[in-house]
Amino acid sequence: MVAPLDHSTSKISFRVRFCETDLMGIVHHANYLAYFELGRVEWLRARGVTYAQWAQEGVHLPVVDVSLRYRNAARFDDELTLFTTLGELKRHSLRFDYRLMLRDALLTEGHTRLASVSETTVQGAKLHRIAPISDEMLARLRAAEV
Amino acid sequence: MVAPLDHSTSKISFRVRFCETDLMGIVHHANYLAYFELGRVEWLRARGVTYAQWAQEGVHLPVVDVSLRYRNAARFDDELTLFTTLGELKRHSLRFDYRLMLRDALLTEGHTRLASVSETTVQGAKLHRIAPISDEMLARLRAAEV
Amino acid sequence: MVAPLDHSTSKISFRVRFCETDLMGIVHHANYLAYFELGRVEWLRARGVTYAQWAQEGVHLPVVDVSLRYRNAARFDDELTLFTTLGELKRHSLRFDYRLMLRDALLTEGHTRLASVSETTVQGAKLHRIAPISDEMLARLRAAEV
Amino acid sequence: MVAPLDHSTSKISFRVRFCETDLMGIVHHANYLAYFELGRVEWLRARGVTYAQWAQEGVHLPVVDVSLRYRNAARFDDELTLFTTLGELKRHSLRFDYRLMLRDALLTEGHTRLASVSETTVQGAKLHRIAPISDEMLARLRAAEV
């Protein structure tokens, strides 16, 4: 199986943590969303964008929809490889696609669509409003890894 | 908004835990899968099926695919209502549909498809094989709340 | 075994979630800190204090130290009872003590010490400073359940 | 500040994940137990012991007591360094001590005591009994990094 490796794809590797397993002896299915999150944070970093910096400036990319297909289970200590691809880029949203592999085996694939929002704090409560992705950010998102 | 309340739907209420929030001040999106899991465990219990009992007997219902749409954010301490519906029942799999509400507002909707598997332990490693849902279990899944 | 039930103790019951287990088939040890958190949020609510309200007003009680002794394991779907006691109340900190039971068996005991802090947001970053507990709050913390 | 670096100490570095934060904008306190778990899994690996292998063979090291002191908060994307030290080694238990740093600042310190148990599966339920650490394992635990 050949994973996509064009310029809109980035790759990370990491090990399954003990605390991510459940009583079936496999990774609990909710944790794959945390893995995908890792994937897009590192995808952005590879293009010079620090998501933590954005968050401090009140720019967020909350998840608005998700799909996930589980094909094979990951287990404790497995060394996984995650391919993250920017699949769609619009003015107010973007979609990342994911393929999680254990060596040559596809474990999970899915996508997350993210909205672009800006945050304001009103009386201690954070409010988030849809806001266009800036031109500077769009340029970075279209670029290859730095 | 009227939530479905026919005999294949069950309802639970629970509060958002502090540890389920993230730095955006809202529930982290992965936690909704844990909420859906609560929903189907209680859906089963309402029909006389204790999932923990099944698990001890080596019968599991691992998640094989998921979709989730996030419409509004849940926040710490919100008292949420989750409607869980058996949407499809086959010999080797079933699908639950979910609608998570905060009072009259729909927060999240989605589904999980589960496979029916039986577990054997071989040299310390657990193996899971697709296995048909038993007739007794099918009857319970088709029944109304006890 | 007799659990303490004086006016500085409150009690909650809840079930272990599937996602809280690990590959040993028992509750992963980190989740007990989430249970203790539930315990103190409900302890406060029982005295008319909504922690979520405080948090919105920028008053927080971050954990500054923890001890935990695990005596017996909890398992999926166990219905647990948690006794939370205010063990110490100072001007800038307080300590809660916890006893987690499965019927008559003590599973876990521990404490968390919390600091009283106030939050300000400076350029998107939240800063927390030690701040005295208000007199009104002290009165509520010393009172019995409402 | 000089961290201990004798032969019973190992060191790992990792980044804080988004999903590990809470609404205070800092790492939720329960996640430090997951970090410590990472630390001891890698401590063992550095001495030629794969914890996942042990777990498959039915040897486990469940946590029996914990202490944690939080001095400074970690935040999303911080690159943390964790020093894990074997502080005590007995026939049926061992203690690891931890110091979590952000550059030169100590964030958290604590310990976990672990029991040595062997696992048997009886009618689907896993049972764990205290069992002495094998001589081979003791030798590895006393050795320096491989």
Side-chain angles (χ1 to χ4, degrees):
Chain A
M1 184 173 297
V2 179
L5 272 169
D6 64 33
H7 94 275
S8 66
T9 297
S10 287
K11 176 183 158 182
I12 58 168
S13 292
F14 57 92
R15 278 188 189 276
V16 171
R17 297 178 177 183
F18 189 92
C19 62
E20 292 165 352
T21 61
D22 65 28
L23 64 81
M24 284 188 68
I26 59 179
V27 171
H28 187 266
H29 65 283
N31 289 311
Y32 293 90
L33 289 179
Y35 296 164
F36 290 179
E37 186 172 80
L38 280 184
R40 62 186 180 269
V41 167
E42 295 308 321
W43 189 98
L44 289 167
R45 197 190 318 279
R47 284 155 188 83
V49 179
T50 306
Y51 187 68
Q53 183 72 38
W54 277 5
Q56 279 226 346
E57 293 166 10
V59 178
H60 286 284
L61 299 174
V63 175
V64 291
D65 74 65
V66 159
S67 72
L68 260 164
R69 269 203 272 181
Y70 302 89
R71 297 180 178 282
N72 288 288
R75 288 165 191 276
F76 169 47
D77 218 42
D78 279 350
E79 192 159 8
L80 306 180
T81 304
L82 176 62
F83 294 92
T84 303
T85 302
L86 180 62
E88 193 180 76
L89 180 57
K90 293 185 177 173
R91 195 72 202 183
H92 295 87
S93 72
L94 62 172
R95 194 192 76 230
F96 285 108
D97 302 320
Y98 310 89
R99 292 167 59 79
L100 184 69
M101 317 281 297
L102 175 61
R103 291 179 294 273
D104 286 346
L106 177 63
L107 301 189
T108 312
E109 56 190 340
H111 85 269
T112 56
R113 184 179 299 279
L114 314 166
S116 169
V117 306
S118 69
E119 177 177 282
T120 47
T121 301
V122 177
Q123 297 181 326
K126 292 175 157 187
L127 300 181
H128 303 98
R129 285 201 194 80
I130 294 291
I133 301 173
S134 71
D135 288 336
E136 186 217 333
M137 198 185 295
L138 284 173
R140 291 190 177 211
L141 296 174
R142 287 193 185 108
E145 291 195 10
V146 179
Chain B
M1 184 173 292
V2 180
L5 272 169
D6 64 31
H7 93 276
S8 66
T9 297
S10 288
K11 175 183 158 182
I12 58 168
S13 292
F14 56 91
R15 278 188 190 276
V16 171
R17 297 177 178 185
F18 189 93
C19 63
E20 292 165 353
T21 61
D22 65 27
L23 65 81
M24 284 189 68
I26 60 179
V27 171
H28 186 266
H29 65 283
N31 290 313
Y32 293 90
L33 289 179
Y35 296 162
F36 291 178
E37 186 172 81
L38 280 185
R40 61 185 180 270
V41 167
E42 296 308 321
W43 188 98
L44 289 167
R45 196 190 318 280
R47 284 155 188 80
V49 179
T50 306
Y51 187 69
Q53 183 72 37
W54 277 5
Q56 278 226 348
E57 293 166 10
V59 179
H60 286 284
L61 299 174
V63 176
V64 291
D65 75 64
V66 159
S67 73
L68 259 165
R69 269 202 273 181
Y70 303 89
R71 297 180 178 283
N72 287 287
R75 289 166 190 276
F76 169 48
D77 218 41
D78 280 350
E79 192 158 8
L80 305 180
T81 303
L82 175 62
F83 293 92
T84 303
T85 303
L86 181 63
E88 193 180 77
L89 179 58
K90 295 185 176 174
R91 196 69 202 183
H92 295 86
S93 72
L94 62 172
R95 193 193 76 230
F96 284 107
D97 302 321
Y98 309 90
R99 293 167 60 78
L100 183 70
M101 317 282 296
L102 175 61
R103 289 179 295 273
D104 285 347
L106 177 63
L107 300 189
T108 312
E109 56 190 340
H111 84 269
T112 58
R113 184 179 301 277
L114 314 166
S116 168
V117 307
S118 69
E119 177 178 282
T120 47
T121 302
V122 178
Q123 297 181 327
K126 292 175 158 186
L127 300 181
H128 302 99
R129 285 201 195 79
I130 294 290
I133 300 173
S134 71
D135 289 335
E136 185 216 334
M137 198 184 296
L138 283 174
R140 290 189 178 213
L141 296 175
R142 286 192 186 111
E145 291 195 9
V146 178
Chain C
M1 183 173 298
V2 180
L5 273 169
D6 63 32
H7 93 275
S8 66
T9 297
S10 288
K11 178 184 158 182
I12 59 168
S13 292
F14 57 91
R15 278 188 190 275
V16 170
R17 298 177 177 184
F18 190 93
C19 63
E20 292 166 352
T21 61
D22 65 28
L23 65 81
M24 283 188 68
I26 60 179
V27 171
H28 187 266
H29 66 283
N31 290 313
Y32 294 90
L33 289 180
Y35 297 163
F36 290 179
E37 187 172 80
L38 279 185
R40 61 184 179 271
V41 167
E42 295 308 321
W43 189 98
L44 288 167
R45 195 189 320 278
R47 284 157 188 80
V49 179
T50 306
Y51 188 69
Q53 182 72 37
W54 278 5
Q56 279 226 346
E57 294 165 10
V59 178
H60 286 285
L61 299 175
V63 175
V64 292
D65 74 64
V66 158
S67 72
L68 259 165
R69 270 203 272 180
Y70 303 89
R71 296 178 178 284
N72 288 287
R75 289 165 190 277
F76 169 48
D77 217 41
D78 279 349
E79 190 158 10
L80 306 180
T81 303
L82 176 62
F83 294 91
T84 303
T85 302
L86 180 63
E88 193 180 78
L89 179 58
K90 293 184 178 173
R91 195 73 201 182
H92 295 86
S93 73
L94 63 172
R95 194 193 76 229
F96 284 108
D97 303 320
Y98 309 89
R99 291 167 60 80
L100 184 69
M101 319 281 297
L102 175 61
R103 290 179 294 273
D104 286 346
L106 177 63
L107 301 188
T108 312
E109 56 190 340
H111 85 270
T112 56
R113 184 179 300 278
L114 314 166
S116 169
V117 306
S118 69
E119 178 177 280
T120 47
T121 301
V122 178
Q123 297 180 328
K126 292 175 158 187
L127 300 181
H128 302 99
R129 284 201 196 80
I130 294 290
I133 301 173
S134 71
D135 290 334
E136 185 216 333
M137 198 185 295
L138 284 173
R140 291 190 178 210
L141 296 175
R142 287 194 185 108
E145 291 194 9
V146 179
Chain D
M1 183 175 296
V2 180
L5 272 168
D6 64 32
H7 93 275
S8 66
T9 297
S10 288
K11 177 183 157 181
I12 59 168
S13 291
F14 57 92
R15 278 189 191 275
V16 171
R17 298 177 177 184
F18 190 92
C19 63
E20 292 165 353
T21 60
D22 66 26
L23 65 80
M24 283 189 69
I26 60 179
V27 171
H28 187 264
H29 65 283
N31 289 313
Y32 294 90
L33 289 179
Y35 297 163
F36 290 178
E37 187 173 81
L38 280 184
R40 60 184 180 270
V41 167
E42 296 308 321
W43 188 98
L44 290 166
R45 196 189 320 278
R47 284 155 188 81
V49 179
T50 306
Y51 187 70
Q53 183 71 38
W54 278 6
Q56 279 227 345
E57 293 166 9
V59 178
H60 286 284
L61 299 174
V63 175
V64 292
D65 74 65
V66 158
S67 72
L68 261 164
R69 269 202 273 180
Y70 304 89
R71 296 178 179 284
N72 287 288
R75 289 165 190 277
F76 169 48
D77 218 41
D78 279 350
E79 191 157 9
L80 305 179
T81 304
L82 176 62
F83 294 91
T84 303
T85 302
L86 181 62
E88 192 180 78
L89 179 59
K90 293 185 176 174
R91 196 70 202 184
H92 295 88
S93 72
L94 62 171
R95 194 194 74 231
F96 284 107
D97 302 321
Y98 309 89
R99 291 167 60 79
L100 183 69
M101 318 282 296
L102 174 61
R103 290 179 295 274
D104 286 347
L106 177 63
L107 301 188
T108 312
E109 56 190 340
H111 84 270
T112 57
R113 184 179 301 279
L114 313 166
S116 168
V117 306
S118 69
E119 177 177 282
T120 48
T121 302
V122 178
Q123 297 180 328
K126 292 175 157 187
L127 300 181
H128 302 99
R129 284 201 196 79
I130 294 290
I133 300 172
S134 71
D135 289 335
E136 186 216 333
M137 197 183 297
L138 283 174
R140 291 189 178 212
L141 295 176
R142 286 194 187 108
E145 291 194 8
V146 179

